[in-house]
Each structure stands twice: as C-alpha cells, then as structure tokens.
Amino acid sequence: MLDQNIKTQLKAYLERLESPIELVAALDESDKAAQIKELVTEIAELSDKVTARFDGNNTRRPSFGVAKAGEQPRVFFAGLPMGHEFTSLILALLQVSGYAPKVSDEVLNQIKGLNLKADFDVFVSLSCHNCPDVVQALNLIAIYNPNTTATMIDGSFFQDEVEQRKIMAVPMVFQDNEHIGQGRMTLEEIVAKLDTNSAEKDAAALNAKDAFDVLVIGGGPAGATAAIYAARKGINTGIVAERFGGQVMDTMDIENFTSVQKTQGPKFAAEMEAHVREYDVDIMNLQRVSKITGANQTANGLVEVELENGAKLESKTVILSTGARWREMNVPGEQEYRTRGVAYCPHCDGPLFKGKRVAVIGGGNSGVEAAIDLAGIVEHVTLVEFDTKLRADQVLQNKLHSLPNTTVIMNALSTEVLGDGSQVTGLKYKDRATDEEHVVELAGIFVQIGLLPNTDFLKDSELELTNRGEIIVNDRNETNVKGVFAAGDCTTVPYKQIIIATGEGAKASLSAFDYIIRSGQ
C-alpha cells in the first residue's frame, strides 16, 4: 500500500505522537476493505504507539477511526485517505494523540467553546485540492468536542450513497445528515458558521480598532503584497479579507510565477499568508465589505469602510484588491442545479462524473484544459464555445482534438440547463448561425467562461467603474476618490495574472504611502 519513501516519512511523523493511539477498522468482505486493512496494518507497524484493531462497529463499512488509546474514535476515514487527503490522515494521527494544532489560541478556544453534539460527514474526491482544509477543520472540531464525530467519505468508495444523496460537488458537508455547506471552507469559516454569536462578537471587536494608515481590502496576491509593502514602512496596516488567498485558492497548478517552478494554489496562498503574518499586519479574515466612503466625504478626512456585520473601520488610505470570480452563464437552471450537476472546478468535481457524459462551457485555455482533464475520467466531453473559433493556445487545441471522446461545438449560445428536479440531465443551446435549438443529454456542466471583478458593493459608490465593473485606475493605482487606491484583477489593468497582481499591489501600497506623506496626515 505505502511505498518505502512514504513509510519513512510517516515513521518520522509518528515519532511526534504525544500519547498512544488506536486505529479501529470496521470492515466487510469487499476488496476495498482489504485495502483499508492493509493501510491500517502498515501504519501500526511503523510505531510502538500505534495499535490496529479490526472490531470497529461503525455502520459505514469499510472505514476506520482514529482514537486515543482507551477512548472511542471520533475521527473517521471512510475510504483511503491518500492523494490530497494523506496530510489529513497525518494530522489526525498527531492531533488525536494530543499534538497541538497550528492554529491561534483564539480559534482553538472558540472551537472548545462550541460544546457541540453533532456528527459531521464530508464527501470528498482524492483529486480535490479544496477538500483537505474542510476535512482537517472538521477533524479538529471533533477532537476538541467529545460529543462530536467527523467522517471523511471518499465518494468513489461509497458510490451508492453519492447517488442517493445526489452529491455532484465536493467537498460536501452534512451535520446530522442535514446539508450545511459545500465548496472550499477554512477552519475559521466553519467555526464561524457553527458559532452563532461570532458575528456579533466580531463587530464589537472591529468597532474598537483605531484608525489605520493603510487598510487593504482583499487577501489575494495583490492585497497580500500591498499589506507587506505597507507594513515594511512601519505604518499601521490592516487587511480585511473575505477569504485569504482569494481566487488563488481555486487554482490547481501555478507554473509561471518567477522563481517558483511549480506549486499549487492552496500552498501558494498559505505561504503568502505566512509571509504577511511575519509583519505587524492586523488581519481581519472572513469579513465582507459593504460600503466605502472616501476621505472627501467624511468629517475627519479619513476613508470609512463599513462591513456587512455592521462594523466600521477608518483609515488614512484604502487599497481595494478584491479580485475576481468565475463568470456564470446566467441562464435558466444554472442556479437551481448548482452543485447538482453544474460545477466550476473540474479538478475537484470531475471524479464524481466518472463514466458519465459532461459538457464544458468555454473555449479559452481554462475551458480546453478542463475538457482535456475530464476526458480522462468521464465517458464523453462536449465543449461548447460561443465564438466561431477556440481561443485556447494551439498546443491545447491540438491535444483536445486528438482525444477520441471529445466533441467541440462552436458558434453556440447556451440557453438553459435542463434537469429532472434533482440533478442535471442536459444542456440546451442555440446554433448562432441558424438559430436552431439543440439539446445535449449529459450529467454535468463545467462552466469555464472567464472572470468578473468582485466590485458589486461599489456600484452605488462614488468610485468610477467600467461597464464590466472594473475599478478605473491610473498608472499610480489611484482611483477617482481621494485616499482610495486599487490593484489586481478588480481593476482596469490588463492581463489577469498572479505575478501582475503582486506587482500592482506593491505599486498601490507605495502610492498610498506617498499620499500619506504628501497630505501630511
């Protein structure tokens, strides 16, 4: 099961166990159960502090739980936690033994204070790079809440249950069999969702903060870089982020950031956040901005930022770096069948459509790459492009056309997502040349048609936006509003790339500092 290199690494981790643990497997007669038994046995052989048992009474079989010796398991793996989930397994082994998690004391105390009695199930695919964060968060909550369990369920192991629950997107989270969320969620987001008083407490703490010199809105590459540059000037810097990392968290491979030959989005985002935390930056995560008032409209000459929880922050300057999000088709049925066949991440959700027919909407690099990836998993991929030609790089087009289970439909307008009330059954499109309508029968639709700036909250503000919603900036990243700067994918700067966003964040921060000096604030 585990090669020698992995065994050597795992053995080194197991030396950090704080106390003896047990792996308790609940098996059946299936081949999958034999695989779990082999994995559990191999792990136990690597440390004297690990014992394997095969008398588990978990009703979901095959599976295994991790428990401190003498206690009942509360952390379970229904499937083989390999691939992206191998880290989840390692952390579970260590943290169940008493090894301290790498989270702030504030968050850990909040977890302990939940006093939950609940059973959490999270459905994953092992190719999903968003799933481990959710699995690890729920495991940690179960470890510190004695009446709570957390179970990672590999959809490929329990296909019947996936079909029964109509799970067509991962991670998908259930609390006591009730659906409570899907998609990537951080530990802080999950704890905030479970802590009913968190918003009120956050607002009180935020309202008590002194005015900042530079307040950055957005935690992606532009925002993180802006915060670092400001903090290095020795001025009071804060960063408000709805989700630290931004769109990078949904990016699989990054191979074009100078000096980093190859990395993955979540890893890049984690290292970016760690870099920001090296400086004296006040990070206010999981906060959404609802309104900005420029310095020329406030009595004290400071920019005022209002958050959705009602809190208000003030700053001499604000840098908007709110990034962008995936564009939607905006056709009937899309929202109704979101996570029930309509998906936006082929890496995460592709394995759930194994052996089925799917469509990809969009003929740019993202769409063609998605079609190529999916072709190796599903029965057939139909790529639907609005234009009369594909816009992807030629090398990608050549690869796509070489695959036997792909079809390309061009000059087509997607008009409706069809379904049976519970899941997607087809896509309706119109031939733009003939106006004829056609239907493609399929089980999944992956939307890959570009980005929209996250600037909806600015539409009624004094800031100038383009008709696409991009913030208009000059070559110094200044907006038309006094004290407000902008950087990254939310602006009119061309070419939405990580490396460009970081450079723009640096420019905006330097411009903000220059504004502070020249205005004498």
Side-chain angles (χ1 to χ4, degrees):
M1 176 64 64
L2 302 177
D3 64 36
Q4 191 55 49
N5 183 45
I6 292 178
K7 285 184 179 181
T8 301
Q9 294 180 39
L10 185 54
K11 184 178 178 68
Y13 281 117
L14 294 176
E15 291 174 0
R16 304 180 191 178
L17 292 174
E18 293 287 331
S19 61
I21 61 173
E22 292 182 328
L23 304 182
V24 185
L27 305 176
D28 54 23
E29 301 302 319
S30 67
D31 292 339
K32 294 172 181 175
Q35 291 177 305
I36 285 182
K37 183 175 183 179
E38 183 181 356
L39 175 64
V40 167
T41 301
E42 288 184 359
I43 294 172
E45 290 173 346
L46 296 175
S47 173
D48 293 338
K49 289 186 177 180
V50 182
T51 304
R53 288 172 35 206
F54 303 98
D55 56 355
N57 55 14
N58 195 334
T59 55
R60 187 179 280 106
R61 297 169 182 262
S63 64
F64 70 96
V66 185
K68 188 175 287 188
E71 298 182 3
Q72 291 297 314
R74 299 199 296 275
V75 174
F76 295 91
F77 293 93
L80 292 170
M82 306 302 286
H84 289 297
E85 293 299 345
F86 192 61
T87 300
S88 301
L89 172 62
I90 293 172
L91 290 175
L93 299 173
L94 294 174
Q95 291 168 359
V96 166
S97 81
Y99 189 87
K102 291 184 178 179
V103 300
S104 68
D105 292 339
E106 179 184 0
V107 171
L108 190 57
N109 289 334
Q110 193 177 3
I111 291 172
K112 294 176 180 177
L114 291 173
N115 294 318
L116 274 176
K117 183 177 181 181
D119 295 310
F120 292 102
D121 293 332
V122 52
F123 285 81
V124 307
S125 69
L126 299 186
S127 62
C128 170
H129 59 282
N130 290 327
C131 293
D133 282 350
V134 178
V135 172
Q136 292 161 27
L138 293 174
N139 287 350
L140 198 58
I141 290 169
I143 289 168
Y144 286 97
N145 285 265
N147 294 313
T148 296
T149 67
T151 304
M152 180 217 83
I153 304 170
D154 179 359
S156 67
F157 255 58
F158 294 89
Q159 196 64 44
D160 289 345
E161 191 170 356
V162 166
E163 296 285 346
Q164 179 185 350
R165 296 207 196 192
K166 307 297 183 185
I167 294 168
M168 307 188 87
V170 290
M172 185 77 75
V173 182
F174 295 84
Q175 179 180 353
D176 297 327
N177 291 319
E178 294 292 327
H179 174 252
I180 63 168
Q182 72 278 327
R184 185 192 174 276
M185 293 180 282
T186 64
L187 172 62
E188 291 85 354
E189 288 174 307
I190 293 172
V191 172
K193 183 187 287 284
L194 299 174
D195 185 351
T196 55
N197 297 319
S198 63
E200 184 178 332
K201 289 185 289 187
D202 284 349
L206 292 166
N207 278 326
K209 293 182 183 291
D210 294 331
F212 294 94
D213 292 312
V214 174
L215 181 60
V216 181
I217 311 300
T225 306
I228 290 170
Y229 266 71
R232 285 174 62 86
K233 296 293 186 181
I235 57 180
N236 186 14
T237 304
I239 183 167
V240 173
E242 184 178 348
R243 179 178 71 154
F244 209 101
Q247 187 189 328
V248 169
M249 294 299 297
D250 301 321
T251 303
M252 191 60 178
D253 292 330
I254 299 170
E255 300 177 342
N256 56 0
F257 194 90
T258 309
S259 83
V260 180
Q261 293 185 19
K262 184 173 183 178
T263 187
Q264 292 184 325
K267 184 176 183 234
F268 185 91
E271 291 173 347
M272 188 168 62
E273 181 175 356
H275 194 173
V276 174
R277 292 187 182 278
E278 286 291 310
Y279 297 93
D280 188 16
V281 176
D282 188 346
I283 298 176
M284 294 158 277
N285 204 8
L286 309 184
Q287 302 298 333
R288 185 195 290 262
V289 174
S290 60
K291 183 180 179 181
I292 289 179
T293 305
N296 56 322
Q297 291 192 348
T298 59
N300 57 8
L302 297 175
V303 182
E304 184 179 272
V305 175
E306 187 172 335
L307 307 181
E308 281 198 349
N309 61 13
K312 291 183 179 179
L313 302 169
E314 292 181 326
S315 182
K316 294 176 182 177
T317 62
V318 163
I319 298 173
L320 295 167
S321 54
T322 49
R325 64 190 183 277
W326 287 113
R327 184 190 296 272
E328 298 177 349
M329 292 187 292
N330 292 319
V331 300
E334 181 177 16
Q335 294 304 318
E336 180 183 354
Y337 291 104
R338 192 178 183 127
T339 75
R340 294 189 293 165
V342 176
Y344 301 85
C345 180
H347 297 293
C348 301
D349 301 332
L352 298 174
F353 295 86
K354 183 177 181 180
K356 299 179 180 180
R357 303 178 72 86
V358 304
V360 172
I361 312 299
N365 282 348
S366 296
V368 174
E369 286 175 352
I372 292 169
D373 290 344
L374 289 166
I377 302 170
V378 304
E379 178 187 340
H380 188 272
V381 181
T382 300
L383 187 143
V384 180
E385 166 56 35
F386 179 82
D387 205 347
T388 55
K389 60 182 181 300
L390 298 181
R391 292 163 286 110
D393 295 342
Q394 191 60 48
V395 65
L396 294 175
Q397 294 188 43
N398 294 342
K399 175 64 176 176
L400 176 66
H401 291 310
S402 73
L403 300 173
N405 61 334
T406 63
T407 300
V408 177
I409 301 174
M410 290 184 285
N411 206 20
L413 173 64
S414 300
T415 57
E416 186 177 357
V417 174
L418 305 175
D420 60 7
S422 61
Q423 63 190 48
V424 167
T425 59
L427 173 72
K428 182 183 290 187
Y429 74 90
K430 179 186 291 186
D431 186 319
R432 295 175 60 224
T434 64
D435 278 344
E436 292 183 23
E437 286 197 332
H438 304 270
V439 172
V440 182
E441 294 184 358
L442 40 75
I445 300 169
F446 289 82
V447 184
Q448 303 280 290
I449 53 175
L451 301 169
L452 282 176
N454 293 319
T455 57
D456 291 348
F457 69 102
L458 298 172
K459 286 182 179 177
D460 295 324
S461 74
E462 55 189 315
L463 273 101
E464 289 185 1
L465 308 176
T466 68
N467 57 8
R468 293 188 64 250
E470 294 176 325
I471 303 169
I472 298 173
V473 293
N474 62 16
D475 58 358
R476 296 175 62 86
N477 295 85
E478 296 169 322
T479 71
N480 66 303
V481 176
K482 182 181 177 182
V484 179
F485 302 80
D489 287 4
C490 64
T491 74
T492 50
V493 171
Y495 310 120
K496 313 305 186 187
Q497 298 290 313
I498 295 172
I499 198 163
I500 293 174
T502 56
E504 291 297 305
K507 280 173 55 187
S509 192
L510 293 171
S511 293
F513 182 68
D514 186 62
Y515 168 86
I516 293 170
I517 294 173
R518 293 179 184 275
S519 63
Q521 290 190 337

